[in-house]
Amino acid sequence: MPLQAVPVSDNLRAAQHVEAAKPASALRLYHFDGCRFCLPFAVGDTAASQMLEDFAARLTAVPHVACRGVSVSARPTIGAASLLPSAADHMQTVRAAASAAQSAADAGPGWALHDTGRDAAQQRVFTLLSALDLLLADATIKANGSFRLVWQPRIELSTSRCVAAEGLLRWRHPTLGEISPGEFIPLSEGKALMPRLTDLVLATALAQMRRWQDASLRLETASVNISAGDLEDDALAGRVERALAAAGVAPGALELEFTETAVMEPDRLQRRLAAVRELGVGIALDDFDAGYSNLTYLRRVPATTVKLDRELVATAAHTARDRTVAEATVSMLRELGLRVVAEGIETEADAATMRESGCDEGQGYLFSPPFEAEAFETWLRTTTTVKRSRN
Protein backbone atom coordinates (compact mmCIF):
# COMPACT_ATOMS: atom_id res chain seq x y z
CA MET A 1 0.00 0.00 0.00
CA PRO A 2 1.21 3.58 -0.58
CA LEU A 3 2.83 5.26 2.39
CA GLN A 4 0.91 8.20 3.82
CA ALA A 5 2.29 11.15 5.74
CA VAL A 6 0.96 11.14 9.28
CA PRO A 7 -0.18 14.49 10.73
CA VAL A 8 0.43 13.89 14.41
CA SER A 9 -2.57 15.94 15.49
CA ASP A 10 -4.91 13.68 13.52
CA ASN A 11 -3.39 10.33 14.38
CA LEU A 12 -3.59 7.89 17.26
CA ARG A 13 -1.44 8.12 20.34
CA ALA A 14 0.68 5.33 18.88
CA ALA A 15 1.84 7.72 16.16
CA GLN A 16 2.47 10.43 18.74
CA HIS A 17 4.56 8.00 20.74
CA VAL A 18 6.70 7.07 17.72
CA GLU A 19 7.01 10.72 16.69
CA ALA A 20 8.22 11.71 20.16
CA ALA A 21 10.77 8.90 20.33
CA LYS A 22 12.19 9.16 16.81
CA PRO A 23 15.92 9.87 16.38
CA ALA A 24 17.09 13.39 15.58
CA SER A 25 18.33 12.21 12.18
CA ALA A 26 14.92 10.84 11.22
CA LEU A 27 12.81 12.51 8.57
CA ARG A 28 9.01 12.64 8.35
CA LEU A 29 6.92 9.87 9.94
CA TYR A 30 4.77 7.78 7.57
CA HIS A 31 1.91 5.40 8.31
CA PHE A 32 2.34 1.90 6.85
CA ASP A 33 -0.69 -0.02 8.16
CA GLY A 34 -2.32 -0.75 11.53
CA CYS A 35 0.20 0.20 14.19
CA ARG A 36 3.15 0.03 11.82
CA PHE A 37 5.04 3.14 10.78
CA CYS A 38 7.84 3.96 8.38
CA LEU A 39 10.56 6.36 9.37
CA PRO A 40 13.32 7.34 6.91
CA PHE A 41 16.50 8.52 8.63
CA ALA A 42 19.96 9.61 7.58
CA VAL A 43 22.78 7.87 9.40
CA GLY A 44 25.87 5.92 8.42
CA ASP A 45 26.06 2.14 8.69
CA THR A 46 28.44 2.27 11.65
CA ALA A 47 26.06 4.43 13.71
CA ALA A 48 22.85 2.62 12.73
CA SER A 49 23.03 -0.08 15.39
CA GLN A 50 23.42 2.33 18.29
CA MET A 51 20.70 4.61 16.93
CA LEU A 52 18.28 1.66 16.62
CA GLU A 53 19.15 0.49 20.13
CA ASP A 54 18.42 3.95 21.55
CA PHE A 55 15.20 4.26 19.51
CA ALA A 56 13.92 0.90 20.80
CA ALA A 57 14.74 1.89 24.38
CA ARG A 58 12.81 5.16 24.08
CA LEU A 59 9.79 3.41 22.57
CA THR A 60 9.79 0.83 25.36
CA ALA A 61 10.03 3.47 28.09
CA VAL A 62 6.24 4.10 27.91
CA PRO A 63 4.47 0.91 29.13
CA HIS A 64 1.26 1.24 27.07
CA VAL A 65 0.02 3.23 24.09
CA ALA A 66 -3.35 3.43 22.34
CA CYS A 67 -3.81 1.90 18.91
CA ARG A 68 -7.22 2.31 17.27
CA GLY A 69 -8.76 2.87 20.64
CA VAL A 70 -7.13 -0.18 22.24
CA SER A 71 -4.42 0.01 24.87
CA VAL A 72 -1.49 -2.12 23.74
CA SER A 73 1.88 -2.94 25.26
CA ALA A 74 4.64 -0.76 23.84
CA ARG A 75 6.99 -3.63 22.92
CA PRO A 76 8.33 -2.46 19.58
CA THR A 77 9.82 -4.52 16.82
CA ILE A 78 11.93 -2.41 14.51
CA GLY A 79 13.29 -3.39 11.13
CA ALA A 80 15.83 -1.37 9.19
CA ALA A 81 17.03 -1.56 5.60
CA SER A 82 19.35 0.56 3.48
CA LEU A 83 17.57 2.93 1.10
CA LEU A 84 17.92 1.78 -2.50
CA PRO A 85 19.16 4.47 -4.90
CA SER A 86 16.31 4.42 -7.42
CA ALA A 87 13.01 6.08 -6.56
CA ALA A 88 11.30 3.07 -8.16
CA ASP A 89 12.94 0.87 -5.53
CA HIS A 90 11.66 2.75 -2.49
CA MET A 91 8.77 0.37 -1.87
CA GLN A 92 11.24 -2.52 -2.15
CA THR A 93 13.22 -0.82 0.61
CA VAL A 94 10.07 -0.62 2.75
CA ARG A 95 9.36 -4.29 2.08
CA ALA A 96 12.92 -5.18 3.13
CA ALA A 97 12.49 -3.18 6.35
CA ALA A 98 9.17 -4.96 7.01
CA SER A 99 10.97 -8.29 6.57
CA ALA A 100 13.60 -7.18 9.10
CA ALA A 101 10.82 -6.19 11.51
CA GLN A 102 9.39 -9.70 11.19
CA SER A 103 12.84 -11.08 12.05
CA ALA A 104 12.87 -8.85 15.13
CA ALA A 105 9.38 -10.04 16.10
CA ASP A 106 10.46 -13.69 15.78
CA ALA A 107 13.38 -13.04 18.13
CA GLY A 108 11.39 -10.92 20.63
CA PRO A 109 11.00 -7.15 21.15
CA GLY A 110 13.88 -5.17 19.72
CA TRP A 111 15.31 -4.40 16.33
CA ALA A 112 16.94 -6.13 13.39
CA LEU A 113 18.78 -5.09 10.28
CA HIS A 114 17.68 -6.46 6.94
CA ASP A 115 19.30 -9.80 6.18
CA THR A 116 19.19 -10.91 2.55
CA GLY A 117 19.29 -14.61 3.37
CA ARG A 118 16.56 -14.44 6.00
CA ASP A 119 14.47 -12.21 3.74
CA ALA A 120 14.72 -14.78 0.94
CA ALA A 121 13.68 -17.51 3.38
CA GLN A 122 10.64 -15.49 4.49
CA GLN A 123 9.65 -14.86 0.87
CA ARG A 124 9.96 -18.58 0.19
CA VAL A 125 7.71 -19.42 3.15
CA PHE A 126 5.12 -16.90 1.96
CA THR A 127 5.25 -18.31 -1.59
CA LEU A 128 4.87 -21.89 -0.38
CA LEU A 129 2.03 -21.12 2.03
CA SER A 130 0.14 -19.19 -0.64
CA ALA A 131 0.53 -22.06 -3.09
CA LEU A 132 -0.48 -24.65 -0.46
CA ASP A 133 -3.63 -22.79 0.42
CA LEU A 134 -4.58 -22.51 -3.25
CA LEU A 135 -3.85 -26.15 -4.05
CA LEU A 136 -5.77 -27.43 -1.03
CA ALA A 137 -8.88 -25.62 -2.18
CA ASP A 138 -9.30 -28.60 -4.55
CA ALA A 139 -10.61 -31.94 -3.29
CA THR A 140 -8.27 -34.11 -5.33
CA ILE A 141 -4.67 -34.10 -6.45
CA LYS A 142 -4.63 -32.48 -9.85
CA ALA A 143 -3.30 -34.16 -12.95
CA ASN A 144 -0.70 -31.39 -13.32
CA GLY A 145 1.43 -33.25 -10.79
CA SER A 146 1.87 -30.47 -8.25
CA PHE A 147 0.98 -32.95 -5.53
CA ARG A 148 1.45 -36.67 -6.01
CA LEU A 149 1.92 -39.86 -4.04
CA VAL A 150 4.92 -42.10 -4.57
CA TRP A 151 4.83 -45.64 -3.25
CA GLN A 152 7.56 -47.56 -1.45
CA PRO A 153 7.02 -51.33 -1.19
CA ARG A 154 6.99 -53.20 2.12
CA ILE A 155 8.42 -56.69 1.74
CA GLU A 156 7.49 -59.78 3.71
CA LEU A 157 10.93 -60.97 4.80
CA SER A 158 10.08 -64.67 4.99
CA THR A 159 8.78 -64.84 1.38
CA SER A 160 10.31 -61.77 -0.33
CA ARG A 161 6.80 -60.80 -1.54
CA CYS A 162 5.48 -57.25 -1.60
CA VAL A 163 2.50 -57.24 0.75
CA ALA A 164 2.04 -53.53 1.44
CA ALA A 165 3.15 -50.08 0.27
CA GLU A 166 3.56 -46.73 1.95
CA GLY A 167 2.19 -43.72 0.10
CA LEU A 168 4.57 -40.77 0.44
CA LEU A 169 3.44 -37.26 -0.48
CA ARG A 170 5.57 -35.26 -2.89
CA TRP A 171 5.13 -31.69 -4.11
CA ARG A 172 6.56 -30.12 -7.25
CA HIS A 173 6.14 -26.33 -7.15
CA PRO A 174 5.87 -24.75 -10.63
CA THR A 175 8.76 -22.32 -10.04
CA LEU A 176 10.63 -23.64 -6.98
CA GLY A 177 10.76 -27.27 -8.11
CA GLU A 178 10.59 -30.24 -5.76
CA ILE A 179 9.77 -29.22 -2.18
CA SER A 180 10.82 -31.60 0.57
CA PRO A 181 8.11 -32.95 2.91
CA GLY A 182 10.46 -31.86 5.70
CA GLU A 183 9.75 -28.29 4.57
CA PHE A 184 6.09 -28.24 3.54
CA ILE A 185 4.67 -30.56 6.22
CA PRO A 186 5.75 -28.28 9.14
CA LEU A 187 4.42 -25.27 7.22
CA SER A 188 1.08 -27.02 6.77
CA GLU A 189 0.93 -27.95 10.44
CA GLY A 190 1.86 -24.44 11.56
CA LYS A 191 -0.92 -22.84 9.51
CA ALA A 192 -3.63 -25.44 10.28
CA LEU A 193 -3.60 -26.75 6.69
CA MET A 194 -2.70 -30.30 7.69
CA PRO A 195 -6.24 -31.75 8.00
CA ARG A 196 -7.02 -30.71 4.43
CA LEU A 197 -3.69 -32.11 3.25
CA THR A 198 -4.34 -35.41 5.06
CA ASP A 199 -7.83 -35.67 3.56
CA LEU A 200 -6.28 -35.12 0.14
CA VAL A 201 -3.73 -37.90 0.75
CA LEU A 202 -6.39 -40.28 2.07
CA ALA A 203 -8.66 -39.70 -0.92
CA THR A 204 -5.80 -40.16 -3.39
CA ALA A 205 -4.31 -43.23 -1.70
CA LEU A 206 -7.66 -44.99 -1.38
CA ALA A 207 -8.65 -44.20 -4.97
CA GLN A 208 -5.33 -45.69 -6.08
CA MET A 209 -5.88 -48.75 -3.89
CA ARG A 210 -9.33 -49.21 -5.45
CA ARG A 211 -7.79 -49.16 -8.94
CA TRP A 212 -5.20 -51.74 -7.93
CA GLN A 213 -7.85 -53.98 -6.40
CA ASP A 214 -9.99 -53.72 -9.52
CA ALA A 215 -6.93 -54.73 -11.54
CA SER A 216 -6.45 -57.79 -9.25
CA LEU A 217 -3.01 -56.66 -8.11
CA ARG A 218 -1.69 -58.49 -5.08
CA LEU A 219 -1.38 -55.77 -2.46
CA GLU A 220 -2.85 -56.20 0.99
CA THR A 221 -2.35 -52.78 2.59
CA ALA A 222 -1.85 -49.15 1.66
CA SER A 223 -0.24 -47.09 4.40
CA VAL A 224 -0.30 -43.28 4.77
CA ASN A 225 0.98 -40.89 7.40
CA ILE A 226 -1.11 -38.74 9.71
CA SER A 227 0.12 -35.74 11.67
CA ALA A 228 -0.12 -34.25 15.11
CA GLY A 229 -2.93 -32.01 13.86
CA ASP A 230 -4.93 -35.04 12.75
CA LEU A 231 -4.44 -36.72 16.11
CA GLU A 232 -5.87 -33.64 17.81
CA ASP A 233 -9.07 -33.86 15.75
CA ASP A 234 -12.07 -35.56 17.36
CA ALA A 235 -13.50 -36.02 13.85
CA LEU A 236 -10.55 -38.12 12.64
CA ALA A 237 -12.47 -41.43 12.60
CA GLY A 238 -15.35 -39.83 10.70
CA ARG A 239 -12.98 -38.37 8.13
CA VAL A 240 -11.37 -41.76 7.59
CA GLU A 241 -14.73 -43.51 7.35
CA ARG A 242 -15.98 -41.07 4.72
CA ALA A 243 -12.80 -41.48 2.66
CA LEU A 244 -13.12 -45.27 2.74
CA ALA A 245 -16.78 -45.12 1.68
CA ALA A 246 -16.04 -42.68 -1.16
CA ALA A 247 -13.34 -44.96 -2.57
CA GLY A 248 -15.17 -48.22 -1.91
CA VAL A 249 -12.19 -49.73 -0.10
CA ALA A 250 -12.52 -52.08 2.87
CA PRO A 251 -11.06 -50.65 6.12
CA GLY A 252 -8.61 -53.53 6.49
CA ALA A 253 -6.77 -52.36 3.36
CA LEU A 254 -5.79 -49.06 4.99
CA GLU A 255 -3.17 -48.39 7.64
CA LEU A 256 -2.51 -45.02 9.29
CA GLU A 257 1.03 -44.26 10.48
CA PHE A 258 1.98 -41.78 13.17
CA THR A 259 5.13 -41.08 15.16
CA GLU A 260 5.47 -40.93 18.92
CA THR A 261 6.76 -37.35 18.58
CA ALA A 262 3.39 -36.32 17.07
CA VAL A 263 1.57 -37.29 20.24
CA MET A 264 0.98 -34.75 23.00
CA GLU A 265 -1.83 -36.20 25.12
CA PRO A 266 -1.87 -40.01 25.14
CA ASP A 267 -5.29 -40.33 26.78
CA ARG A 268 -7.11 -38.27 24.15
CA LEU A 269 -5.02 -39.93 21.46
CA GLN A 270 -6.10 -43.35 22.72
CA ARG A 271 -9.77 -42.47 22.32
CA ARG A 272 -9.34 -41.10 18.81
CA LEU A 273 -7.25 -44.00 17.58
CA ALA A 274 -9.59 -46.49 19.23
CA ALA A 275 -12.42 -45.00 17.15
CA VAL A 276 -10.31 -45.43 14.00
CA ARG A 277 -9.40 -48.97 15.01
CA GLU A 278 -13.08 -49.84 15.51
CA LEU A 279 -13.56 -49.15 11.81
CA GLY A 280 -11.11 -51.96 11.07
CA VAL A 281 -8.29 -49.65 9.95
CA GLY A 282 -4.74 -50.61 10.91
CA ILE A 283 -2.66 -48.35 13.19
CA ALA A 284 1.12 -48.20 12.84
CA LEU A 285 3.51 -46.61 15.33
CA ASP A 286 6.40 -45.25 13.26
CA ASP A 287 10.07 -44.68 14.22
CA PHE A 288 9.87 -47.07 17.17
CA ASP A 289 12.99 -47.74 19.21
CA ALA A 290 13.64 -49.32 22.56
CA GLY A 291 13.33 -46.07 24.51
CA TYR A 292 11.08 -45.59 27.51
CA SER A 293 8.79 -43.06 25.81
CA ASN A 294 8.04 -45.42 22.94
CA LEU A 295 7.20 -48.23 25.35
CA THR A 296 4.89 -45.91 27.29
CA TYR A 297 2.99 -44.92 24.17
CA LEU A 298 2.81 -48.53 23.05
CA ARG A 299 0.88 -49.37 26.22
CA ARG A 300 -1.65 -46.61 25.53
CA VAL A 301 -2.41 -46.84 21.80
CA PRO A 302 -4.28 -49.58 19.90
CA ALA A 303 -1.47 -50.22 17.43
CA THR A 304 -1.51 -53.17 15.04
CA THR A 305 1.92 -52.55 13.48
CA VAL A 306 5.20 -51.15 14.73
CA LYS A 307 7.83 -49.77 12.37
CA LEU A 308 11.32 -49.98 13.81
CA ASP A 309 13.45 -46.86 13.76
CA ARG A 310 16.09 -46.75 11.03
CA GLU A 311 18.94 -46.37 13.53
CA LEU A 312 17.87 -49.49 15.44
CA VAL A 313 17.82 -51.40 12.15
CA ALA A 314 21.12 -49.97 10.88
CA THR A 315 23.07 -50.79 14.07
CA ALA A 316 21.60 -54.26 14.66
CA ALA A 317 24.18 -55.95 12.42
CA HIS A 318 27.17 -54.11 13.95
CA THR A 319 27.75 -55.72 17.36
CA ALA A 320 26.40 -58.59 19.41
CA ARG A 321 24.94 -56.10 21.91
CA ASP A 322 23.08 -54.16 19.19
CA ARG A 323 21.77 -57.40 17.72
CA THR A 324 20.53 -58.53 21.14
CA VAL A 325 18.66 -55.23 21.62
CA ALA A 326 17.03 -55.58 18.21
CA GLU A 327 16.07 -59.22 18.77
CA ALA A 328 14.63 -58.48 22.21
CA THR A 329 12.63 -55.55 20.82
CA VAL A 330 11.18 -57.60 17.97
CA SER A 331 10.41 -60.51 20.28
CA MET A 332 8.56 -58.28 22.72
CA LEU A 333 6.51 -56.64 19.98
CA ARG A 334 5.53 -59.95 18.43
CA GLU A 335 4.55 -61.31 21.84
CA LEU A 336 2.15 -58.37 22.02
CA GLY A 337 0.57 -59.51 18.76
CA LEU A 338 2.03 -56.69 16.66
CA ARG A 339 3.32 -56.89 13.12
CA VAL A 340 6.90 -55.62 12.99
CA VAL A 341 8.32 -53.68 10.04
CA ALA A 342 12.02 -52.81 9.79
CA GLU A 343 12.52 -49.44 8.06
CA GLY A 344 15.65 -48.21 6.32
CA ILE A 345 16.99 -51.57 5.16
CA GLU A 346 19.88 -50.74 2.87
CA THR A 347 22.23 -53.73 3.00
CA GLU A 348 21.99 -57.50 2.80
CA ALA A 349 23.31 -57.62 6.36
CA ASP A 350 20.42 -55.40 7.53
CA ALA A 351 17.89 -57.67 5.83
CA ALA A 352 19.44 -60.89 7.15
CA THR A 353 19.62 -59.59 10.71
CA MET A 354 16.04 -58.38 10.70
CA ARG A 355 14.79 -61.62 9.16
CA GLU A 356 16.66 -63.72 11.72
CA SER A 357 15.38 -61.43 14.51
CA GLY A 358 11.81 -62.29 13.56
CA CYS A 359 10.72 -59.11 11.76
CA ASP A 360 7.66 -59.61 9.57
CA GLU A 361 8.44 -56.99 6.93
CA GLY A 362 11.22 -54.78 5.63
CA GLN A 363 11.21 -51.48 3.81
CA GLY A 364 14.15 -49.67 2.29
CA TYR A 365 16.33 -48.99 -0.74
CA LEU A 366 17.83 -52.48 -0.71
CA PHE A 367 14.47 -53.67 -1.98
CA SER A 368 13.21 -50.65 -3.85
CA PRO A 369 13.09 -46.85 -3.89
CA PRO A 370 9.68 -45.14 -3.88
CA PHE A 371 7.92 -45.40 -7.26
CA GLU A 372 5.48 -43.13 -9.02
CA ALA A 373 2.07 -44.86 -9.00
CA GLU A 374 2.23 -46.09 -12.59
CA ALA A 375 5.79 -47.39 -12.21
CA PHE A 376 4.86 -49.09 -8.95
CA GLU A 377 1.97 -50.86 -10.67
CA THR A 378 4.30 -52.10 -13.41
CA TRP A 379 6.85 -53.22 -10.84
CA LEU A 380 4.17 -55.04 -8.85
CA ARG A 381 2.83 -56.82 -11.94
CA THR A 382 6.24 -58.05 -13.03
CA THR A 383 7.84 -58.87 -9.67
CA THR A 384 7.08 -62.27 -8.17
CA THR A 385 9.65 -61.99 -5.41
CA VAL A 386 11.80 -58.97 -4.71
CA LYS A 387 15.28 -58.78 -6.10
CA ARG A 388 17.42 -57.23 -3.42
CA SER A 389 19.16 -54.47 -5.26
CA ARG A 390 19.46 -50.69 -5.14
CA ASN A 391 18.02 -49.93 -8.57
Side-chain angles (χ1 to χ4, degrees):
M1 66 161 44
L3 297 179
Q4 299 175 342
V6 179
V8 172
S9 60
D10 297 335
N11 201 32
L12 303 169
R13 286 182 58 202
Q16 293 177 314
H17 182 52
V18 175
E19 178 74 25
K22 72 179 184 181
S25 59
L27 305 177
R28 192 172 190 180
L29 179 65
Y30 291 85
H31 182 235
F32 188 61
D33 64 51
C35 285
R36 295 200 296 175
F37 302 92
C38 183
L39 191 63
F41 58 88
V43 65
D45 290 344
T46 55
S49 294
Q50 186 59 55
M51 188 211 71
L52 290 168
E53 191 75 37
D54 294 343
F55 185 27
R58 287 193 297 273
L59 286 172
T60 310
V62 178
H64 293 87
V65 296
C67 184
R68 294 188 176 178
V70 178
S71 178
V72 297
S73 175
R75 302 176 65 196
T77 52
I78 303 169
S82 298
L83 187 67
L84 296 171
S86 168
D89 291 332
H90 288 176
M91 284 308 298
Q92 180 66 14
T93 302
V94 174
R95 193 206 59 75
S99 172
Q102 183 59 54
S103 298
D106 292 342
W111 59 272
L113 295 172
H114 175 246
D115 180 273
T116 302
R118 187 175 179 89
D119 188 12
Q122 289 174 351
Q123 289 186 65
R124 180 180 175 90
V125 166
F126 177 79
T127 299
L128 293 179
L129 283 173
S130 299
L132 276 170
D133 195 44
L134 184 62
L135 284 169
L136 291 175
D138 293 329
T140 58
I141 292 180
K142 287 186 173 181
N144 63 17
S146 293
F147 278 130
R148 68 195 190 282
L149 288 182
V150 296
W151 297 87
Q152 186 166 36
R154 281 173 27 187
I155 308 305
E156 189 172 58
L157 293 176
S158 62
T159 65
S160 295
R161 294 185 306 110
C162 176
V163 293
E166 180 180 0
L168 303 164
L169 185 62
R170 297 291 183 262
W171 181 21
R172 184 183 295 114
H173 189 276
T175 57
L176 298 177
E178 291 289 341
I179 310 299
S180 165
E183 182 175 15
F184 71 78
I185 294 297
L187 287 178
S188 301
E189 290 176 334
K191 296 299 181 180
L193 297 173
M194 203 62 214
R196 282 194 284 165
L197 193 57
T198 298
D199 289 346
L200 182 65
V201 170
L202 275 172
T204 305
L206 290 171
Q208 184 64 67
M209 189 62 171
R210 178 72 269 167
R211 287 192 288 271
W212 287 335
Q213 290 176 342
D214 290 343
S216 300
L217 291 176
R218 58 187 191 285
L219 191 69
E220 298 171 9
T221 307
S223 175
V224 296
N225 293 275
I226 57 176
S227 73
D230 297 309
L231 295 173
E232 289 294 317
D233 184 9
D234 285 326
L236 176 61
R239 289 164 52 200
V240 173
E241 187 173 26
R242 288 190 295 275
L244 288 164
V249 173
L254 175 65
E255 184 177 79
L256 301 184
E257 294 187 23
F258 71 96
T259 63
E260 174 262 328
T261 54
V263 180
M264 300 300 174
E265 298 183 43
D267 291 335
R268 288 201 295 168
L269 166 78
Q270 186 175 25
R271 292 195 300 273
R272 294 185 183 112
L273 289 182
V276 172
R277 187 71 194 102
E278 286 175 6
L279 299 174
V281 173
I283 302 293
L285 179 58
D286 201 4
D287 296 340
F288 184 89
D289 60 29
Y292 175 78
S293 62
N294 273 284
L295 294 172
T296 299
Y297 280 109
L298 188 60
R299 290 172 47 238
R300 293 175 175 264
V301 299
T304 55
T305 300
V306 168
K307 302 185 77 174
L308 299 182
D309 181 72
R310 295 169 187 269
E311 184 175 354
L312 181 64
V313 172
T315 59
H318 291 177
T319 69
R321 180 184 289 271
D322 290 329
R323 186 185 182 102
T324 298
V325 170
E327 289 175 346
T329 301
V330 174
S331 177
M332 176 197 68
L333 295 171
R334 296 198 68 188
E335 284 290 324
L336 292 172
L338 297 163
R339 191 163 182 83
V340 185
V341 180
E343 288 194 289
I345 291 184
E346 298 198 353
T347 68
E348 290 285 0
D350 293 340
T353 301
M354 290 296 101
R355 188 183 306 109
E356 292 162 9
S357 297
C359 263
D360 299 287
E361 298 176 30
Q363 180 178 347
Y365 274 76
L366 175 67
F367 303 120
S368 171
F371 288 110
E372 302 285 343
E374 186 175 334
F376 177 75
E377 181 174 337
T378 301
W379 178 87
L380 198 59
R381 285 183 183 279
T382 57
T383 304
T384 304
T385 57
V386 174
K387 299 175 182 179
R388 300 181 190 123
S389 65
R390 298 193 62 172
N391 294 332

